Amino acid sequence: MDRVRIEQLETQAVIGVYEFEHEAPQPLIIDLELEADFSRAFRSDDLSDALDYDAISQAVRAYCEASRYALLEALAGGIIKLIQANFSVDRVGVLIRKPQALKGAVASVWCERTREEMRQL
């Protein structure tokens, strides 16, 4: 299987379990790892046979900015659902970093699921 990585996608979201975190969006940095078969793109050299990195990035950014979650894990699940619903991707991995969550450290969550695993949730 082939993979695309989109790294250090900067966005923001209202996210957190504490009341003060609900007052304003916080910065997030997201890495995506997308698994798909690029055999057709090898032959055609056509974007319609590949993954549109810009469209995926814009969709994820818009989703995050419109979301309101308590947990990074829940946001990661939402991003996986979004990508699988709108793009031809077999497996999605998401790393979300929340740089302002901890003093002197960066909190992050890594989640990955195939389409089949998401259907079982």
Side-chain angles (χ1 to χ4, degrees):
M1 199 54 63
D2 306 301
R3 292 186 183 154
V4 164
R5 288 192 177 109
I6 299 171
E7 298 178 346
Q8 298 185 18
L9 177 67
E10 294 180 7
T11 189
Q12 56 185 358
V14 175
I15 188 162
V17 295
Y18 302 110
E19 194 62 37
F20 72 88
E21 294 179 298
H22 304 171
E23 295 171 7
Q26 297 179 65
L28 300 175
I29 303 167
I30 298 174
D31 292 353
L32 302 169
E33 185 173 279
L34 313 170
E35 214 171 82
D37 184 351
F38 299 146
S39 298
R40 291 182 71 189
F42 291 170
R43 294 185 298 275
S44 71
D45 193 28
D46 189 317
L47 181 58
S48 66
D49 292 327
L51 294 175
D52 185 335
Y53 317 145
D54 185 50
I56 294 167
S57 297
Q58 287 183 38
V60 169
R61 189 174 284 122
Y63 181 81
C64 290
E65 290 174 1
S67 70
R68 292 180 89 73
Y69 285 101
L71 301 176
L72 291 176
E73 294 85 348
L75 175 59
I79 291 170
I80 291 170
K81 288 177 193 173
L82 169 80
I83 292 172
Q84 289 179 343
N86 294 288
F87 301 94
S88 184
V89 176
D90 298 317
R91 187 190 63 78
V92 178
V94 180
L95 172 66
I96 304 175
R97 294 178 202 85
K98 187 176 173 187
Q100 296 178 354
L102 302 170
K103 278 196 181 274
V106 175
S108 68
V109 169
W110 169 262
C111 300
E112 65 179 282
R113 295 291 186 279
T114 63
R115 286 182 182 279
E116 182 61 32
E117 290 169 331
M118 288 304 286
R119 280 193 280 270
Q120 295 172 10
L121 294 178

